[in-house]
Amino acid sequence: MPLRVGHFLFTERLMPALFAGAKTSTDHHARIITLSSSMALIGKIALDTIRDGPARRKMSGEAMYSQTKLVRRLRRQNLLLMAPLTRILPGECNCGS
């Protein structure tokens, strides 16, 4: 079962280190690479499936996976918009293509 919140929380916990790294790097930027999938294209966000419950248990593995990939892609887009202020450059790698 894919993690929904784990990657987000992990990235958030790394932010202080990324900010510090951006200050000391030669190009004054830090980078975050997100592993993506074309499954993000069919993902739909169902807020009632974030926590364990009846709706989440009814979801197929494919639906959970595509939702997770979509959320990661949206988070990357958010980081991209904030890049001029944060100096954190998000990248994306689709390992399937």
Side-chain angles (χ1 to χ4, degrees):
M1 176 180 302
L3 294 173
R4 291 199 174 19
V5 182
H7 293 89
F8 173 78
L9 291 175
F10 180 68
T11 302
E12 289 304 303
R13 290 213 165 209
L14 285 177
M15 287 304 222
L18 291 167
F19 291 137
K23 290 178 184 174
T24 60
S25 72
T26 57
D27 67 353
H28 302 289
H29 289 91
R31 287 158 183 79
I32 296 175
I33 305 299
T34 302
L35 298 179
S36 68
S37 168
S38 56
M39 291 292 286
L41 300 173
I42 63 169
K44 293 183 171 94
I45 298 174
L47 295 177
D48 59 342
T49 63
I50 301 299
R51 291 189 175 175
D52 191 29
R56 182 173 173 169
R57 287 186 217 118
K58 289 180 186 175
M59 280 183 88
S60 70
E62 183 178 280
M64 282 188 197
Y65 182 79
S66 62
Q67 177 175 276
T68 300
K69 291 300 182 178
L70 175 59
V71 169
R72 288 184 195 167
R73 181 168 278 181
L74 293 173
R75 176 63 175 144
R76 182 193 161 273
Q77 288 299 107
N78 179 259
L79 288 170
L80 189 59
L81 289 172
M82 296 182 344
L85 299 172
T86 63
R87 298 211 165 271
I88 296 175
L89 303 176
E92 186 173 40
C93 175
N94 185 341
C95 298
S97 58

